[in-house]
Amino acid sequence: MENLKRRHPPQQKISSYSPPPPYSDIYESVSLNGDNCSGTYSTKEKSHRIYKDSQFSSRALYFLREYKHTIIAITLTAISLWTRFRKIDVSDIVVWDEAHFGKFGSFYLKNEFYFDVHPPLGKMLVGLSGYLAGYNGSFGFDSGKHYPPEVNFKFMRLFNATWGALLVPLAYLTATQFKMSQKASLLAATMVLADTAYLCISRFILLDSMLLFFTCLSLFTLSVFHNLQDQSFSKSWWLWLVLTGLSLGCVLSVKWVGLFAVALVGLYTAEDLWEKLGDVQMPKKKYMGHWIARIICLIVIPAIVYLASFKVHFAILRKSGPGDGQMSSLFQAQLEGNSLSKNPLEVAFGSNVTIKNVAYGGGLLHSHPHLYPSGSTQQQITCYHHKDPNNEWGIAEPRYEENQDVPEVDGIRYLKDGDVVRLVHLATGRNLHTHPIAAPITSSHWEVSGYGNASMGDIQDNWKIEIVKDLTHNDKNHLRSLSTRFRLRNVQLGCLLGSHNTILPQWGYKQYEVYCDKRNQTDNDKTLWNIEEHKNEKLPKPPKNTYKSKFLDDFIQLNVAMWTSNNALIPDPDKEDILASTPLQWPFVSIGLRMCGWGDKQFKFYLLGNPIVWWLSSGSLVAFSLLYSFYSIRAQRQINDMKPEKSENFFYVGKTLFLGWFLHYAPFFIMGRVTYLHHYFPSLYFSIFMAPFLLDHLTAKASARTQNLVFGAVFTAVIGTFIYFAPFAYGMMGPISSYAGRRWLTKWNLLDTF
Amino acid sequence: MTDPALRKRRNYDENSLQNGSGINVDDYTDDTKKVNVSNLSPSKYSHLIGLSIVTIAGFFVTFYKIWYPAEVVFDEVHFGKFAGYYLRRTYFFDVHPPLAKMMLAAVGYMVGYDGHFEFDNIGDSYIENNVPYIALRALPASLNVFCIALMYSIMKESGYSVCTCFLTASLYLLDNAIVAQHRLIMLDSMLIFFMLATVYSYIRFRKVRHQEFSATWWAWLLATGVTMALTLSVKMVGLFLVAAIGICVIVDLWDLLDIKRGISIDHFIKHFYARALGLIAVPAFIYMFWFYVHFAILVESGPGDTFMSSAFQETLKNSAIKMKSLDIHYNDDIRLMHKDTEKYLHSHDLEYPLRYDDGRISSQGQQVTAITVPDDNSWWRIKPTKEISEDEPVPIIHGDIVQLEHVGTETILLTHDVASPLMSTNEEVTTVDLDERYNETLFQVLFDDHNNGDIWQTYMKAVRLVHMDTKVAIWTHPKNLPDWGLGHQEVNGNKNLMDKSNYWVATEIDGLNATEINLEKKKEIKTIPFIFKFVELLGRMLSHNSGLTKPHPYQSNAISWPLLSRGISYWSKDDTKEQIYMTGNVFGWYLSMVGTIIYTGAIIIDTICRRRDVAWIEEPLRRRLIQSAGFFILLWLLHYIPFFAMGRALFLHHYLPAAACNYLLLGAVFQYLFITSVDSPTSDLRRNQSALEEIHPVGPAHAQTSTQAQPTTKTYIIATIILALQFACFVFLSPLTYGSPGLSIDEVQRRKVFSGWDLQFAK
């Protein structure tokens, strides 16, 4: 049996210089007692299954040991729930980003399609909490408004806080999995419990508590999986691998920062597989098995979870809503209550239309009475997702040259492939126009502008319709709304009207750039358009048509739109966002965040980490780096300070934590988007572990007295500052000046004065 | 599991074990007894011939028609102009460090050029303007010839055969991009020359590593440091080279630290300090030295003034800012200009409407706005809040608390906790009658940079006006008020006191003509310590460099460079249909990419095989691939990858240093593929043996065991084919490189290898 092979001899001698970690020798008896473990267990019990300890001959003692662990976890959960739940409804106004996420949750209850930059899982859970609270989705969640009596916001907040509360037992269990001592494990849990920032962010209707929970769950499942290394392909090995995959899928489906957790597990797995590759004894088949297991559990399962969250998202949001514009015209047409199904089928001269770019993330052709600041300085043409009257274009007769025959117009003239038209922006009367002037951003293309009016203009206002394909009809001669995809070629310059996800600066209101593409590429989606809305009273009503869009297309479309919008959240140089902060400020606790108005007569919440917890965490990261270099240099000189298995665990845990912190933190430096304090929270979790871990490591050789002294001091400091700063998270009433003493750093904008 | 390869690997392990050396310690186990130096002599001779041929060929290729076009080409606009500024000793600002431009200026000085020409537009004639452009171009062109020699020498010193060395240098020589770039007045030739010199010096340094602390060892260490500093003094991308050398040195030191090397810690620390001195202290000193020269030459005020702080500008002769500056005293009437938007603080006899369109309510106080052209309503009187002497004017210093009186309406500036017309987050700014609401009319004057006792002066000092009562700064932003505000720009109180756009500059004092007063006074020129100037300039260079985000029609993405999908149109002439289009030798660049892929693939496969105890590549050959070719690929990566993270506008010519490194790598891969035998050690001298013993031939007894790689006929044939194709491609594209002869539409179309090449006259 493969799983009987073990790294350590069964009777591991406990090293003389260190107190025995509670379960340092847990692996030895597992398989032998494997038959005891049949039957059904809850997940938590299963995690304890591996703790069985053969050293305890008496079953009673053994159960006491097991009981002790469970009771600690349960006690921690209880304390944690109490801290999270207490006074949760003290402020009955919509606080901070509740305005967003509460609103998004409401859309699920109303089944209306909305758009947001985050994946749907977290918001669906918010929706679920609203559903359980009996809320019907009618409240608008305007920032700072009082909750009406029919909205049971307390329940919704409790629901959210539960996820946040579960971080504490998870931290404890993870620490024991990292083979930290009892004291250190408790300290890790206490630091998570006593962090005011975690407390504060968990108590409102936000996504962060779920994000944190799933991130921590991923670390926990990974740590259990790691300890099952020696029982490859056993039942529990599979279970924890699958659980790791599931939690990765969940964290990814809450926010995209989950990718960093995926990266952490990915790097761990890569190193693991590399180690196994070096094991020449391992049969090739088994090695392949390791690969396949990880591909299935760590790639396929998370992908399925992510896709499934979108599948449910689309299934729930079946009605037309404010997010329609981000999606393809076909998708919109299938939403209940959408006006697109009333479109007359074939487009004719004189029709009023909106024109949608077909490429993933494409918007509606748009113009507004603002001018390009450079180039031609004519009226701007952009692409925009929001639906407003500025998206409407009239299809008019082209400009004719003097000697050209003007065709007779009698009645309705349907548009055909190759027809030349002029597109008139209805709100301003300008014509869609292009000229050999470089586009504002993509200077290799021509600029497109709004020019002239009904009487004034030139031949560069003429666009030829080139039908590329029709999704529902085989005939490519007629231009139908929604289904026909066509290009617009400028007759004079021969370039193609195009748009892409490049965002104009503030003068263009961050809308998308529109240009005329000189390259004449026939396989480019960016120059492909379809008619979205179509109005023409002269035309007959459309036949009953059921449009079906493909799930995968919608999925990609939505993800591209999320990606583009996320990138558009760049800092606006014209105005300083008072809430925003830079990554460098985070680990030093040099910034706090006001979560609501700062009036004397309202509860004020100040999002700020427990300084002792944060400074300890950041400091221990530096300490670990130094220690790592120190041990590496010593090793290079062949001086070994630790026993091999000790040192293996030290480097595995330290590396995992440091890498977890780094992967969740460093990317924010190169991200162009606005960053806020709460972006540091997942990263913080990893660094929090580092402090007890190093304390454990450094005091290993010390006497029990010294250990108690050191840990006692840290416990006191952490809990003391927590109690001192707790009002920040529980809400402060009355003038803020009475809390002036708590402004330890002048950089904290707790008070208005400097 | 008992295949022969495995056994082979085991042998190597045993060998290295016997010698007591780790994997990275290239001790050349099997060479100790069988080096054949006599075998090297003829190849040394042939090396000399090979080197001479490529260098002479390089001279002709580079200097061919160097006088054409006699017009300003592309970035000569900048660098020619900058050289001129040195000759006129006029202060200018550029994002690049000064060395290369000073070299150009030195050439200009030697041929008697006075720097009068402004190099304003591409296409301006040099002949009409009497510019010695051939001499200026001769400098980068000559350095390119040296580059070719260095390419050859680097390969030679790395122990590659004559055939490989010759091929590598020739491929580099026949690259259109390099030829086009290096015969014009630009900085890249200097950059690549110093970069290759650094690589050469470092390889020489590595080769004498067993003669620790000898004179030669020190010489090559210092040479590495000096050339590295010179590279950095040409362009900031020299930092990539510093990173590459830094990584190599760290790896080297790490190996020295290995206890199996038997070096004591004291000895190791000696090694460490030697490198710190040679590769950090000396380069830093040289780098700063060029800036010292830079400041010493540029003493006149010029176009670079405005980029610097006012303290800096005071050190220049005739600086405009100094001529315009006057001390500001209490009760002076001044104009205040917002530094970012260049609008003047203004007020007029109109009030804020009680109710705005969005339903918010104002105080109905007098409007305070900002306007483009100052008028009579833009005078503000600085009123004291403390007792001042009546006899003589009292100047205003940093931290003074003042009131600002609007002279036109005789009202006092005030701000209060009422939302501004356009931004509900900011405070409304208005004015009230004299002596009303005194506490709300107090503002503190805070300078941007201040030393004790500095006086507020027009133009010299930017100030923030911070409201004492509510702690907001008077601020304006480019949003205009509706018709009721005459379309003026809104002014409001900004709660973010640290905002960079809070600064205002006093531009004028009513009734005083700054120029006249200053002419009479004839101010002395101040000096500030060099180190402050250096730090300031460095900071501005860096921030300006990252600010170069304005799109350029010929910019390109880093990903497109090795694929050569886009070039840069440098120059064109309509009547003769001639043009210079900067683009690489398509054949050479793609071959380089293939070389890189083969190298990466081979190393990856071998690493995986070794993990399974199979030596796919023999150990000595692997060492060669890791240490020599690995150095080249490290150079290539570090000169290329960082561009992906750069936000600024990027151009194809940023890739040229990486392209040069890629040719070195290609040479190494060629040797690996087509000269299969293992090479002799690259280090001439081993440790614990004196130099004399080494130079003498060991004797004929070991001749047959020589490890000198011998190219076969096949090798020569393949090298010839590669060279021929490179040459053909070079000649084919050469009209675009040399700017002559002119091409017909048809000929241009044929040279449009990729659709992204936006050649002129293609239609």
Side-chain angles (χ1 to χ4, degrees), chain B residues 482-681:
Chain B
D483 290 344
W484 54 256
L486 309 179
H488 293 177
Q489 187 167 297
E490 191 204 21
V491 171
N492 60 35
N494 185 358
K495 286 182 179 153
N496 183 357
L497 294 181
M498 291 301 152
D499 199 326
K500 287 199 178 85
S501 58
N502 281 341
Y503 285 98
W504 297 81
V505 177
T507 56
E508 205 177 323
I509 302 178
D510 196 13
L512 298 179
N513 185 326
T515 328
E516 278 175 22
I517 295 169
N518 284 329
L519 268 182
E520 283 169 23
K521 275 197 193 162
K522 217 177 180 195
K523 287 189 179 174
E524 83 283 16
I525 295 160
K526 289 190 183 166
T527 52
I528 46 177
F530 161 71
I531 193 75
F532 290 136
K533 285 182 171 179
F534 171 71
V535 170
E536 179 181 337
L537 180 57
L538 209 60
R540 310 249 164 170
M541 278 161 57
L542 287 174
S543 66
H544 202 77
N545 192 36
S546 54
L548 290 177
T549 50
K550 200 166 160 271
H552 186 282
Y554 285 103
Q555 73 183 55
S556 46
N557 296 325
I559 189 79
S560 71
W561 296 341
L563 304 173
L564 215 51
S565 59
R566 189 127 197 268
I568 307 171
S569 181
Y570 269 15
W571 170 85
S572 63
K573 198 170 182 180
D574 289 350
D575 46 355
T576 53
K577 303 270 182 215
E578 290 167 323
Q579 62 177 316
I580 297 180
Y581 190 83
M582 208 283 269
T583 181
N585 186 318
V586 182
F587 174 74
W589 287 41
Y590 274 81
L591 196 65
S592 302
M593 281 317 292
V594 171
T596 312
I597 292 165
I598 290 175
Y599 176 79
T600 324
I603 291 295
I604 290 175
I605 292 172
D606 185 55
T607 311
I608 292 175
C609 287
R610 271 158 198 273
R611 195 77 195 153
R612 302 296 296 175
D613 273 356
V614 179
W616 193 63
I617 301 173
E618 294 162 13
E619 185 62 28
L621 193 56
R622 179 183 163 85
R623 271 189 215 149
R624 163 56 52 85
L625 278 179
I626 295 279
Q627 297 198 338
S628 170
F631 183 40
F632 298 149
I633 200 168
L634 179 73
L635 283 166
W636 176 70
L637 283 172
L638 284 173
H639 280 87
Y640 179 40
I641 301 299
F643 285 104
F644 285 95
M646 269 188 214
R648 61 162 282 182
L650 297 171
F651 297 93
L652 180 63
H653 59 251
H654 290 145
Y655 184 68
L656 293 181
C661 301
N662 211 352
Y663 277 129
L664 290 174
L665 179 66
L666 180 62
V669 172
F670 173 82
Q671 173 106 357
Y672 161 65
L673 288 179
F674 301 115
I675 307 179
T676 43
S677 52
V678 178
D679 263 13
S680 64

Side-chain angles (χ1 to χ4, degrees), chain A residues 562-578:
Chain A
M562 282 156 61
W563 173 250
T564 327
S565 304
N566 205 26
N567 286 350
L569 297 176
I570 47 171
D572 184 349
D574 296 339
K575 68 166 196 262
E576 290 278 324
D577 187 344
I578 199 155

Side-chain angles (χ1 to χ4, degrees), chain B residues 193-206:
Chain B
F193 170 72
F194 289 128
M195 182 197 84
L196 292 176
T198 314
V199 172
Y200 179 75
S201 309
Y202 186 70
I203 290 172
R204 292 299 298 261
F205 170 68
R206 280 290 289 165

Side-chain angles (χ1 to χ4, degrees), chain A residues 500-630:
Chain A
H500 52 177
N501 299 351
T502 300
I503 290 152
L504 295 173
Q506 200 55 44
W507 56 255
Y509 304 95
K510 303 246 167 107
Q511 296 172 2
Y512 295 19
E513 187 190 39
V514 169
Y515 54 82
C516 203
D517 191 334
K518 293 185 270 190
R519 290 171 305 179
N520 199 16
Q521 291 171 336
T522 49
D523 54 346
N524 192 345
D525 275 356
K526 290 173 175 144
T527 55
L528 217 50
W529 304 82
N530 67 266
I531 301 288
E532 184 161 299
E533 229 162 303
H534 177 207
K535 289 181 202 147
N536 193 339
E537 286 173 7
K538 289 183 201 148
L539 297 183
K541 291 271 172 287
K544 190 94 176 117
N545 226 331
T546 46
Y547 293 104
K548 267 272 167 277
S549 57
K550 290 195 197 93
F551 167 69
L552 218 54
D553 269 346
D554 298 337
F555 170 78
I556 297 172
Q557 174 89 19
L558 185 51
N559 275 276
V560 170
M562 282 156 61
W563 173 250
T564 327
S565 304
N566 205 26
N567 286 350
L569 297 176
I570 47 171
D572 184 349
D574 296 339
K575 68 166 196 262
E576 290 278 324
D577 187 344
I578 199 155
L579 297 175
S581 48
T582 57
L584 212 55
Q585 296 172 309
W586 301 335
F588 304 101
V589 210
S590 56
I591 187 99
L593 194 157
R594 292 181 184 184
M595 296 180 78
C596 53
W598 228 234
D600 283 353
K601 293 189 181 65
Q602 72 177 111
F603 277 100
K604 294 172 282 293
F605 298 94
Y606 193 61
L607 186 64
L608 180 80
N610 181 334
I612 297 294
V613 172
W614 285 45
W615 287 333
L616 218 56
S617 310
S618 308
S620 55
L621 289 168
V622 179
F624 175 75
S625 318
L626 294 177
L627 218 57
Y628 188 91
S629 321
F630 175 75

